[in-house]
Amino acid sequence: MSTERRDRRPVAHRFHRRYTAVVLVLAVVAALAAVVGAQQGPRLRDVSYDASGLVSRPAQRVILTANQALERVSADDVRVRPSAAHTVTSSGNTIAVEFTGPLAYDRDYTVTVAGVRAPGQRATADLIASIRTGSTDVLALVPGGGGAPDRIVRRSLDAGGVTTVHQAADITEYARLSRSLVVVSGSDASSSVDVVPLRGGVQDASSEIEHITLPTARGRVTALHVADDGASFGFEYADTSTGQSRNTGLYVVDMTGTHMPTAIAEDGKPTTGAVPMTVGQWAYVPRTESALVRTGSDDLVLVDMSGRADPVRLGSATYLHGFVGTGTTAVVETGTGIVRLDLTDGAESALQAPAASTDAPYLGRIAQLTDDTYLRVLGDVRVDGTISPRIVRVDGTRASRLAVTLPDDASVTAVCPSPNGQFVAVATKSASDELVSIVDATSGALEASIDAASVDWCGALPSGDEIS
């Protein structure tokens, strides 16, 4: 027994010596790392962002994560190239750079945070992040011919060709709904509404199409619009079950609830079985569950389509042109002119309209690109009585003709900006053809063209009582 104890004692001593040595080595390494870290300053560990969101929505963030906690970072410490308006917040080891508006498509940006340091350390460092924004595509409705079905196709702006997303007979309207499409088909006498599931950007053949039950046995669906978050969609519905249009008005379908159309009553609340609010024009306010409605009697009402908030009466208007920037401002036409209407407080301000933007007998719809920039179709009357259109770009107090080529015998039926205002879809119609040209909103340079009547960008514009 004594021999075994003598043999074990050196082994135990060797183990303790090695353990102590390892601990000392680790302590030295940690101390050296701390010294090196203090001398080098913080380093960038991770960058996260949504490439598609950056080009389609305002208030999108790029998150920079450092390898250690940081002192507070201010907006003066952050530089973005190419330049883009932004705000900055920081907490712990993260820095959030939030962009005021959407960024340009398919472009490289560099975000530099200068002179960051860890609390209690003297060394500073620059954190540099490179990001690339997403590209864009459009959905277009291509009519079938010779008995072929109509097709909803996707056209990417950075690649040629189209991809069929969904096809069916007699499609009249469609809209993107999160990972689905809402598709309206039928005739003036009878419509149907389907929610088509998508997978990989096309119809998911393994999932069933949802057929929405309409308020009456027969009815006509028009003016389809979808909330940006996909939580609901709405449309104008007319009961045609008696052979005449009755009870025409606004309905909402809550995709988080029953999926049943519910009337927006005259008091501006979703109410089952109510007589619906009449509609001259309407659209969802961007990035909200609210809708701006011009009623059949030209009253202007801000309606919460979820029913959680009371409607807001905003006076009257004779036409809704669209929304500005983040969506809190609308461009509306009143009996005295065109104004910018603040939807948060009802305040109005005059729209800049240089002489060159109004010097024509025909004045079309205003397509807002940024807070200070918009496009407008102007038209002169030809000898044969038809309209010869041109597109004018207004930048503050200056107006100039957008250098876009329009077919000689065609009329402009729509001008629809991309979500970030970088491009615009110009829809034209002639006696024999319909065409959508995607052009640069600044130069007018052609990016792509599609043989179609319109694209899904046009779904953001209020519908009803259409003018080009």
Side-chain angles (χ1 to χ4, degrees), residues 217-305:
R218 289 168 63 87
R220 181 179 66 252
V221 173
T222 56
L224 172 70
H225 292 284
V226 171
D228 280 350
D229 63 1
S232 67
F233 65 90
F235 48 77
E236 185 177 357
Y237 184 78
D239 177 5
T240 61
S241 58
T242 63
Q244 298 178 333
S245 295
R246 301 185 308 166
N247 296 332
T248 302
L250 184 60
Y251 284 77
V252 63
V253 178
D254 182 358
M255 295 303 291
T256 67
T258 64
H259 294 203
M260 295 291 290
T262 302
I264 301 297
E266 291 292 341
D267 64 359
K269 288 281 194 175
T271 307
T272 301
V275 175
M277 173 184 287
T278 60
V279 176
Q281 286 175 281
W282 86 283
Y284 279 94
V285 178
R287 292 161 287 280
T288 74
E289 275 288 296
S290 296
L292 185 62
V293 181
R294 178 175 68 82
T295 70
S297 56
D298 285 345
D299 292 323
L300 202 56
V301 186
L302 189 64
V303 174
D304 184 348
M305 300 291 272

Coordinates of all heavy atoms in Angstrom, one line a residue, residues 217-305:
A217 N -74.0 36.2 -54.7 CA -73.8 35.1 -55.7 C -73.1 35.6 -56.9 O -72.3 34.9 -57.5 CB -75.1 34.5 -56.0
R218 N -73.3 36.8 -57.4 CA -72.7 37.4 -58.5 C -72.3 38.8 -58.2 O -73.1 39.6 -57.6 CB -73.6 37.3 -59.8 CG -73.8 35.9 -60.3 CD -74.9 35.9 -61.4 NE -74.6 36.8 -62.5 CZ -73.9 36.3 -63.6 NH1 -73.5 35.1 -63.6 NH2 -73.7 37.1 -64.6
G219 N -71.1 39.2 -58.6 CA -70.7 40.6 -58.4 C -69.5 40.9 -59.2 O -68.7 40.0 -59.7
R220 N -69.2 42.2 -59.3 CA -68.0 42.7 -60.1 C -67.0 43.3 -59.1 O -67.3 44.1 -58.2 CB -68.5 43.8 -61.1 CG -67.3 44.3 -61.9 CD -67.8 45.4 -62.9 NE -68.3 46.6 -62.3 CZ -69.6 46.9 -62.2 NH1 -70.5 46.1 -62.8 NH2 -69.9 48.0 -61.6
V221 N -65.8 42.8 -59.3 CA -64.7 43.3 -58.4 C -63.7 44.2 -59.3 O -63.3 43.8 -60.3 CB -63.9 42.1 -57.9 CG1 -62.6 42.6 -57.1 CG2 -64.8 41.3 -56.9
T222 N -63.4 45.4 -58.7 CA -62.5 46.3 -59.4 C -61.7 47.0 -58.3 O -61.9 46.8 -57.1 CB -63.2 47.4 -60.2 OG1 -64.2 48.1 -59.3 CG2 -64.0 46.8 -61.4
A223 N -60.7 47.8 -58.7 CA -59.9 48.6 -57.8 C -59.3 47.8 -56.7 O -59.4 48.1 -55.5 CB -60.7 49.8 -57.2
L224 N -58.6 46.7 -57.1 CA -57.9 45.9 -56.1 C -56.6 46.5 -55.6 O -55.8 47.1 -56.3 CB -57.5 44.5 -56.8 CG -56.6 43.6 -56.0 CD1 -57.4 43.0 -54.8 CD2 -56.1 42.5 -56.9
H225 N -56.5 46.5 -54.2 CA -55.2 47.0 -53.6 C -54.9 46.1 -52.4 O -55.7 45.5 -51.8 CB -55.4 48.4 -53.1 CG -55.5 49.4 -54.2 ND1 -54.5 49.9 -55.0 CD2 -56.6 50.1 -54.7 CE1 -54.9 50.7 -55.9 NE2 -56.2 50.9 -55.8
V226 N -53.6 46.1 -52.1 CA -53.0 45.2 -51.1 C -52.2 46.0 -50.1 O -51.4 46.9 -50.5 CB -52.2 44.1 -51.7 CG1 -51.4 43.3 -50.7 CG2 -53.0 43.2 -52.6
A227 N -52.4 45.7 -48.8 CA -51.5 46.4 -47.8 C -50.1 45.9 -47.9 O -49.8 44.7 -48.3 CB -52.0 46.1 -46.4
D228 N -49.1 46.8 -47.7 CA -47.7 46.4 -47.9 C -47.3 45.2 -47.0 O -46.4 44.5 -47.5 CB -46.8 47.6 -47.5 CG -46.8 48.7 -48.6 OD1 -47.2 48.4 -49.7 OD2 -46.2 49.8 -48.4
D229 N -47.9 45.1 -45.8 CA -47.5 44.0 -45.0 C -48.2 42.7 -45.3 O -47.9 41.6 -44.7 CB -47.7 44.3 -43.5 CG -49.1 44.5 -43.1 OD1 -50.0 44.4 -44.0 OD2 -49.4 44.8 -41.9
G230 N -49.1 42.7 -46.3 CA -49.8 41.5 -46.7 C -50.9 41.0 -45.7 O -51.5 40.0 -45.9
A231 N -51.2 41.9 -44.7 CA -52.2 41.5 -43.7 C -53.6 41.6 -44.3 O -54.5 40.9 -43.7 CB -52.1 42.3 -42.5
S232 N -53.8 42.4 -45.3 CA -55.2 42.5 -45.8 C -55.1 43.0 -47.3 O -54.1 43.5 -47.7 CB -56.0 43.5 -45.0 OG -55.5 44.8 -45.1
F233 N -56.3 42.8 -48.0 CA -56.4 43.5 -49.3 C -57.9 43.9 -49.4 O -58.7 43.5 -48.6 CB -56.0 42.6 -50.4 CG -56.9 41.3 -50.6 CD1 -58.0 41.3 -51.4 CD2 -56.5 40.1 -50.0 CE1 -58.7 40.2 -51.6 CE2 -57.3 39.0 -50.1 CZ -58.4 39.0 -51.0
G234 N -58.1 44.9 -50.3 CA -59.4 45.4 -50.5 C -59.8 45.6 -51.9 O -58.9 45.5 -52.8
F235 N -61.1 45.9 -52.2 CA -61.5 46.1 -53.5 C -62.9 46.8 -53.5 O -63.6 46.8 -52.5 CB -61.6 44.8 -54.3 CG -62.3 43.7 -53.6 CD1 -63.7 43.6 -53.5 CD2 -61.6 42.6 -53.0 CE1 -64.4 42.6 -52.9 CE2 -62.2 41.6 -52.4 CZ -63.6 41.6 -52.3
E236 N -63.2 47.3 -54.7 CA -64.6 47.9 -54.9 C -65.5 46.7 -55.4 O -65.1 46.0 -56.3 CB -64.5 49.0 -55.8 CG -65.9 49.7 -56.0 CD -65.8 50.9 -56.9 OE1 -64.7 51.3 -57.4 OE2 -66.9 51.6 -57.1
Y237 N -66.6 46.6 -54.8 CA -67.5 45.5 -55.2 C -68.9 46.0 -55.5 O -69.4 46.9 -54.8 CB -67.6 44.4 -54.0 CG -68.4 43.2 -54.4 CD1 -67.9 42.2 -55.2 CD2 -69.7 43.1 -53.9 CE1 -68.6 41.1 -55.5 CE2 -70.5 42.0 -54.2 CZ -69.9 41.0 -55.0 OH -70.6 39.8 -55.4
A238 N -69.4 45.5 -56.6 CA -70.8 45.8 -57.0 C -71.6 44.5 -57.1 O -71.2 43.6 -57.8 CB -70.8 46.5 -58.3
D239 N -72.7 44.5 -56.4 CA -73.7 43.3 -56.5 C -74.4 43.3 -57.8 O -75.1 44.3 -58.1 CB -74.7 43.4 -55.3 CG -75.7 42.3 -55.4 OD1 -75.6 41.4 -56.2 OD2 -76.6 42.3 -54.5
T240 N -74.1 42.3 -58.7 CA -74.8 42.2 -60.0 C -75.7 41.0 -60.1 O -76.1 40.6 -61.2 CB -73.7 42.1 -61.1 OG1 -72.9 40.9 -60.9 CG2 -72.8 43.3 -61.1
S241 N -76.1 40.5 -58.9 CA -76.9 39.3 -58.9 C -78.3 39.5 -59.5 O -79.0 38.6 -60.0 CB -77.1 38.8 -57.5 OG -77.6 39.7 -56.6
T242 N -78.8 40.8 -59.6 CA -80.1 41.1 -60.2 C -80.0 41.6 -61.6 O -81.0 41.9 -62.2 CB -80.8 42.2 -59.3 OG1 -80.0 43.4 -59.4 CG2 -81.0 41.8 -57.9
G243 N -78.8 41.6 -62.1 CA -78.6 42.1 -63.5 C -78.2 43.5 -63.5 O -77.9 44.1 -64.6
Q244 N -78.3 44.2 -62.4 CA -77.9 45.6 -62.3 C -76.9 45.7 -61.1 O -76.8 44.9 -60.2 CB -79.1 46.5 -61.9 CG -80.2 46.5 -63.0 CD -81.4 47.4 -62.6 OE1 -81.7 47.5 -61.5 NE2 -82.1 47.9 -63.6
S245 N -76.1 46.8 -61.2 CA -75.1 47.0 -60.1 C -75.8 47.7 -58.9 O -76.3 48.8 -59.1 CB -74.0 47.9 -60.7 OG -73.3 47.3 -61.7
R246 N -75.6 47.1 -57.8 CA -76.2 47.6 -56.5 C -75.2 47.5 -55.4 O -74.3 46.8 -55.4 CB -77.5 46.8 -56.1 CG -78.6 46.7 -57.2 CD -79.8 46.0 -56.6 NE -79.4 44.7 -56.0 CZ -80.2 44.0 -55.2 NH1 -81.3 44.4 -54.8 NH2 -79.8 42.8 -54.7
N247 N -75.4 48.4 -54.4 CA -74.6 48.4 -53.2 C -73.1 48.4 -53.6 O -72.3 47.6 -53.0 CB -74.9 47.2 -52.3 CG -76.3 47.2 -51.8 OD1 -76.9 48.3 -51.6 ND2 -76.9 46.1 -51.5
T248 N -72.7 49.3 -54.5 CA -71.3 49.3 -54.9 C -70.5 50.1 -53.8 O -70.9 51.2 -53.4 CB -71.2 50.1 -56.2 OG1 -72.0 49.4 -57.2 CG2 -69.8 50.1 -56.7
G249 N -69.4 49.5 -53.4 CA -68.6 50.1 -52.4 C -67.4 49.3 -52.0 O -67.0 48.3 -52.7
L250 N -66.7 49.7 -50.9 CA -65.4 49.2 -50.5 C -65.5 48.1 -49.5 O -66.3 48.1 -48.6 CB -64.6 50.4 -49.9 CG -63.2 50.1 -49.4 CD1 -62.3 49.7 -50.6 CD2 -62.6 51.3 -48.7
Y251 N -64.7 47.0 -49.8 CA -64.7 45.8 -49.0 C -63.2 45.5 -48.6 O -62.3 45.8 -49.4 CB -65.3 44.6 -49.6 CG -66.8 44.6 -49.7 CD1 -67.5 45.4 -50.6 CD2 -67.5 43.8 -48.8 CE1 -68.9 45.4 -50.6 CE2 -68.9 43.8 -48.9 CZ -69.6 44.6 -49.8 OH -71.0 44.6 -49.8
V252 N -63.0 44.9 -47.5 CA -61.7 44.5 -47.0 C -61.7 43.0 -46.7 O -62.7 42.5 -46.2 CB -61.2 45.3 -45.8 CG1 -62.1 45.1 -44.6 CG2 -59.7 45.0 -45.5
V253 N -60.6 42.3 -47.0 CA -60.4 40.9 -46.7 C -59.2 40.8 -45.7 O -58.1 41.2 -46.1 CB -60.1 40.1 -47.9 CG1 -59.9 38.6 -47.5 CG2 -61.3 40.2 -48.9
D254 N -59.5 40.4 -44.5 CA -58.5 40.3 -43.4 C -57.8 39.0 -43.6 O -58.4 37.9 -43.3 CB -59.1 40.5 -42.1 CG -58.1 40.4 -40.9 OD1 -56.9 40.2 -41.2 OD2 -58.5 40.6 -39.8
M255 N -56.6 38.9 -44.0 CA -55.9 37.7 -44.2 C -55.3 37.1 -42.9 O -54.8 36.0 -42.9 CB -54.7 37.9 -45.2 CG -55.2 38.2 -46.6 SD -56.3 37.0 -47.3 CE -55.2 35.6 -47.6
T256 N -55.5 37.8 -41.8 CA -55.1 37.3 -40.5 C -56.3 36.7 -39.8 O -56.2 36.2 -38.7 CB -54.4 38.4 -39.6 OG1 -55.4 39.4 -39.3 CG2 -53.3 39.0 -40.4
G257 N -57.5 36.9 -40.4 CA -58.7 36.4 -39.7 C -59.5 35.4 -40.6 O -59.0 34.4 -41.0
T258 N -60.8 35.8 -40.9 CA -61.7 34.8 -41.6 C -61.5 34.7 -43.1 O -62.0 33.8 -43.7 CB -63.1 35.3 -41.3 OG1 -63.3 36.6 -42.0 CG2 -63.4 35.4 -39.8
H259 N -60.7 35.7 -43.7 CA -60.6 35.7 -45.2 C -61.9 36.0 -45.9 O -62.0 35.7 -47.1 CB -60.0 34.4 -45.7 CG -58.6 34.1 -45.3 ND1 -57.7 33.3 -46.0 CD2 -57.9 34.6 -44.2 CE1 -56.5 33.3 -45.4 NE2 -56.6 34.0 -44.3
M260 N -62.9 36.5 -45.2 CA -64.2 36.9 -45.7 C -64.2 38.4 -46.0 O -63.9 39.2 -45.2 CB -65.3 36.4 -44.8 CG -65.4 34.9 -44.6 SD -66.0 34.1 -46.0 CE -67.7 34.6 -46.1
P261 N -64.7 38.8 -47.2 CA -64.9 40.2 -47.4 C -65.8 40.9 -46.5 O -66.9 40.4 -46.2 CB -65.4 40.3 -48.9 CG -65.1 38.9 -49.5 CD -65.1 38.0 -48.3
T262 N -65.4 42.0 -45.9 CA -66.2 42.8 -45.0 C -66.4 44.2 -45.5 O -65.4 44.8 -45.9 CB -65.6 42.8 -43.6 OG1 -65.4 41.5 -43.1 CG2 -66.4 43.6 -42.6
A263 N -67.6 44.7 -45.5 CA -67.9 46.0 -46.0 C -67.3 47.1 -45.1 O -67.3 47.0 -43.8 CB -69.4 46.2 -46.1
I264 N -66.7 48.1 -45.7 CA -66.3 49.3 -45.0 C -67.6 50.2 -45.0 O -68.0 50.7 -46.1 CB -65.1 50.0 -45.6 CG1 -63.9 49.1 -45.7 CG2 -64.8 51.3 -44.9 CD1 -63.4 48.7 -44.4
A265 N -68.2 50.3 -43.9 CA -69.5 51.0 -43.8 C -69.3 52.5 -44.0 O -68.2 53.0 -44.0 CB -70.1 50.7 -42.4
E266 N -70.4 53.2 -44.1 CA -70.4 54.7 -44.4 C -69.7 55.4 -43.2 O -69.1 56.5 -43.4 CB -71.8 55.2 -44.5 CG -72.5 54.8 -45.8 CD -71.8 55.4 -47.1 OE1 -71.1 56.4 -46.9 OE2 -72.0 54.9 -48.2
D267 N -69.6 54.8 -42.0 CA -69.0 55.5 -40.9 C -67.5 55.2 -40.9 O -66.7 55.6 -40.0 CB -69.6 55.0 -39.6 CG -69.4 53.5 -39.3 OD1 -68.8 52.8 -40.1 OD2 -69.9 53.1 -38.2
G268 N -67.0 54.4 -41.9 CA -65.5 54.2 -42.1 C -65.0 53.0 -41.3 O -63.8 52.8 -41.1
K269 N -65.9 52.1 -40.8 CA -65.6 51.0 -40.0 C -65.9 49.7 -40.7 O -66.9 49.6 -41.4 CB -66.3 51.0 -38.6 CG -65.9 52.0 -37.6 CD -64.6 51.6 -36.9 CE -64.3 52.4 -35.7 NZ -63.1 51.9 -35.0
P270 N -65.0 48.7 -40.6 CA -65.4 47.4 -41.2 C -66.6 46.8 -40.5 O -66.5 46.6 -39.2 CB -64.1 46.5 -41.0 CG -63.0 47.5 -40.7 CD -63.7 48.7 -40.1
T271 N -67.6 46.5 -41.2 CA -68.9 46.0 -40.5 C -69.5 45.0 -41.4 O -69.9 45.2 -42.5 CB -69.9 47.2 -40.3 OG1 -69.2 48.3 -39.6 CG2 -71.1 46.7 -39.5
T272 N -69.7 43.8 -40.8 CA -70.3 42.7 -41.6 C -71.7 43.0 -41.9 O -72.5 43.4 -41.0 CB -70.2 41.4 -40.8 OG1 -68.8 41.1 -40.5 CG2 -70.8 40.2 -41.5
G273 N -72.1 42.9 -43.2 CA -73.5 43.0 -43.6 C -73.9 44.5 -43.8 O -75.0 44.7 -44.2
A274 N -73.0 45.4 -43.6 CA -73.3 46.9 -43.8 C -73.4 47.3 -45.2 O -72.8 46.6 -46.1 CB -72.3 47.7 -43.0
V275 N -74.1 48.4 -45.5 CA -74.0 49.0 -46.8 C -72.6 49.6 -47.0 O -72.2 50.4 -46.1 CB -75.1 50.0 -47.0 CG1 -75.0 50.7 -48.4 CG2 -76.5 49.3 -46.9
P276 N -71.9 49.3 -48.0 CA -70.5 49.8 -48.1 C -70.4 51.2 -48.4 O -71.2 51.8 -49.1 CB -69.9 48.9 -49.2 CG -71.0 48.6 -50.1 CD -72.2 48.4 -49.2
M277 N -69.2 51.8 -48.0 CA -68.9 53.2 -48.4 C -68.7 53.3 -49.9 O -68.0 52.4 -50.5 CB -67.6 53.6 -47.6 CG -67.0 54.9 -48.0 SD -65.5 55.3 -47.1 CE -66.1 55.6 -45.5
T278 N -69.3 54.3 -50.5 CA -69.1 54.4 -52.0 C -67.6 54.9 -52.2 O -67.0 55.6 -51.4 CB -70.1 55.4 -52.5 OG1 -69.9 56.7 -51.9 CG2 -71.5 54.9 -52.4
V279 N -67.1 54.6 -53.4 CA -65.7 54.9 -53.7 C -65.6 55.6 -55.0 O -66.1 55.1 -56.1 CB -64.9 53.6 -53.7 CG1 -63.5 53.9 -54.2 CG2 -64.9 52.9 -52.4
G280 N -64.9 56.7 -55.0 CA -64.5 57.3 -56.3 C -63.1 56.8 -56.6 O -62.8 56.4 -57.7
Q281 N -62.2 56.9 -55.6 CA -60.8 56.4 -55.7 C -60.4 55.9 -54.3 O -60.9 56.4 -53.3 CB -59.8 57.4 -56.2 CG -59.9 57.8 -57.6 CD -58.9 59.0 -57.8 OE1 -59.3 60.1 -57.5 NE2 -57.7 58.7 -58.3
W282 N -59.5 55.0 -54.3 CA -58.9 54.6 -53.0 C -57.6 53.9 -53.2 O -57.3 53.4 -54.3 CB -59.9 53.7 -52.2 CG -59.8 52.2 -52.5 CD1 -60.3 51.6 -53.7 CD2 -59.1 51.3 -51.8 NE1 -60.0 50.3 -53.6 CE2 -59.3 50.0 -52.5 CE3 -58.4 51.3 -50.6 CZ2 -58.8 48.8 -52.0 CZ3 -57.9 50.1 -50.1 CH2 -58.1 48.9 -50.8
A283 N -56.8 53.8 -52.2 CA -55.6 53.0 -52.1 C -55.1 52.9 -50.7 O -55.4 53.8 -49.9 CB -54.5 53.6 -53.0
Y284 N -54.4 51.9 -50.4 CA -53.7 51.8 -49.1 C -52.6 52.9 -49.0 O -51.9 53.1 -50.0 CB -53.0 50.4 -48.9 CG -54.0 49.3 -48.4 CD1 -54.6 48.5 -49.4 CD2 -54.2 49.1 -47.1 CE1 -55.4 47.5 -49.0 CE2 -55.1 48.1 -46.7 CZ -55.7 47.3 -47.6 OH -56.5 46.3 -47.2
V285 N -52.5 53.5 -47.8 CA -51.4 54.4 -47.6 C -50.1 53.5 -47.4 O -50.2 52.5 -46.7 CB -51.6 55.2 -46.3 CG1 -50.4 56.1 -46.0 CG2 -52.9 56.0 -46.4
P286 N -49.1 53.8 -48.1 CA -47.9 52.9 -48.1 C -47.4 52.6 -46.6 O -47.4 53.5 -45.7 CB -46.8 53.8 -48.8 CG -47.6 54.6 -49.7 CD -48.9 55.0 -49.0
R287 N -47.1 51.3 -46.4 CA -46.6 50.8 -45.2 C -47.5 51.0 -44.0 O -47.1 51.1 -42.8 CB -45.2 51.5 -44.9 CG -44.2 51.0 -45.9 CD -43.0 51.9 -45.9 NE -43.3 53.2 -46.6 CZ -43.3 53.4 -47.9 NH1 -43.1 52.4 -48.7 NH2 -43.6 54.6 -48.4
T288 N -48.8 51.0 -44.2 CA -49.8 51.1 -43.1 C -51.0 50.2 -43.4 O -51.1 49.6 -44.5 CB -50.3 52.5 -43.0 OG1 -51.2 52.8 -44.0 CG2 -49.2 53.5 -42.9
E289 N -51.9 50.0 -42.5 CA -53.1 49.3 -42.6 C -54.2 50.3 -42.9 O -55.4 49.9 -43.0 CB -53.4 48.5 -41.4 CG -52.8 47.1 -41.3 CD -53.5 46.2 -42.3 OE1 -54.6 45.9 -42.1 OE2 -52.8 45.7 -43.2
S290 N -53.9 51.5 -43.2 CA -54.9 52.6 -43.5 C -55.1 52.8 -45.0 O -54.2 52.5 -45.7 CB -54.6 53.9 -42.8 OG -54.6 53.8 -41.4
A291 N -56.3 53.2 -45.3 CA -56.5 53.5 -46.7 C -57.0 54.9 -46.9 O -57.8 55.4 -46.0 CB -57.6 52.6 -47.3
L292 N -56.6 55.6 -47.9 CA -57.1 56.9 -48.2 C -58.2 56.8 -49.3 O -58.0 56.2 -50.4 CB -56.0 57.8 -48.8 CG -56.4 59.3 -49.0 CD1 -56.8 60.0 -47.7 CD2 -55.3 60.1 -49.7
V293 N -59.4 57.2 -48.9 CA -60.6 57.0 -49.8 C -61.2 58.3 -50.2 O -61.5 59.2 -49.3 CB -61.7 56.2 -49.0 CG1 -62.9 55.9 -49.9 CG2 -61.1 54.8 -48.5
R294 N -61.4 58.5 -51.5 CA -62.2 59.6 -52.0 C -63.6 58.9 -52.3 O -63.7 58.1 -53.1 CB -61.7 60.2 -53.2 CG -62.6 61.4 -53.8 CD -61.9 62.1 -54.9 NE -61.7 61.2 -56.1 CZ -62.7 61.0 -57.0 NH1 -63.9 61.5 -56.8 NH2 -62.5 60.2 -58.0
T295 N -64.6 59.3 -51.5 CA -65.9 58.7 -51.7 C -66.6 59.2 -52.9 O -66.1 60.1 -53.7 CB -66.8 59.0 -50.5 OG1 -67.2 60.4 -50.5 CG2 -66.1 58.7 -49.2
G296 N -67.7 58.5 -53.2 CA -68.5 58.9 -54.4 C -69.0 60.3 -54.3 O -69.3 60.9 -55.4
S297 N -69.0 60.9 -53.2 CA -69.5 62.3 -53.0 C -68.3 63.3 -52.8 O -68.4 64.4 -52.3 CB -70.4 62.5 -51.9 OG -69.9 62.0 -50.7
D298 N -67.0 62.8 -53.1 CA -65.8 63.5 -53.0 C -65.4 63.9 -51.6 O -64.6 64.8 -51.4 CB -65.9 64.8 -53.9 CG -65.8 64.5 -55.4 OD1 -65.3 63.4 -55.7 OD2 -66.1 65.4 -56.2
D299 N -65.9 63.2 -50.6 CA -65.3 63.4 -49.3 C -64.0 62.6 -49.2 O -63.9 61.5 -49.8 CB -66.3 62.8 -48.2 CG -67.6 63.7 -48.1 OD1 -67.5 64.9 -48.2 OD2 -68.7 63.1 -47.9
L300 N -63.1 63.1 -48.4 CA -61.8 62.4 -48.3 C -61.7 61.9 -46.8 O -61.8 62.6 -45.9 CB -60.7 63.5 -48.5 CG -59.3 62.9 -48.9 CD1 -59.4 62.1 -50.1 CD2 -58.3 64.1 -49.1
V301 N -61.5 60.5 -46.8 CA -61.5 59.8 -45.5 C -60.3 58.9 -45.4 O -60.0 58.2 -46.3 CB -62.8 59.0 -45.3 CG1 -62.9 58.4 -43.9 CG2 -64.1 59.8 -45.6
L302 N -59.7 59.0 -44.2 CA -58.6 58.1 -43.9 C -59.2 56.9 -43.1 O -59.6 57.1 -41.9 CB -57.5 58.8 -43.1 CG -56.2 58.0 -42.9 CD1 -55.5 57.7 -44.2 CD2 -55.2 58.8 -42.0
V303 N -59.2 55.7 -43.6 CA -59.9 54.6 -43.0 C -58.9 53.6 -42.5 O -58.0 53.2 -43.3 CB -60.8 53.9 -44.1 CG1 -61.4 52.6 -43.5 CG2 -61.9 54.9 -44.5
D304 N -59.0 53.2 -41.3 CA -58.2 52.0 -40.8 C -58.9 50.8 -41.2 O -59.9 50.4 -40.7 CB -58.1 52.1 -39.3 CG -57.2 51.0 -38.7 OD1 -56.8 50.1 -39.4 OD2 -56.8 51.1 -37.5
M305 N -58.3 50.0 -42.1 CA -58.9 48.8 -42.7 C -59.0 47.7 -41.7 O -59.8 46.8 -41.9 CB -58.2 48.4 -44.0 CG -58.2 49.4 -45.1 SD -59.8 49.8 -45.8 CE -59.8 48.5 -47.1

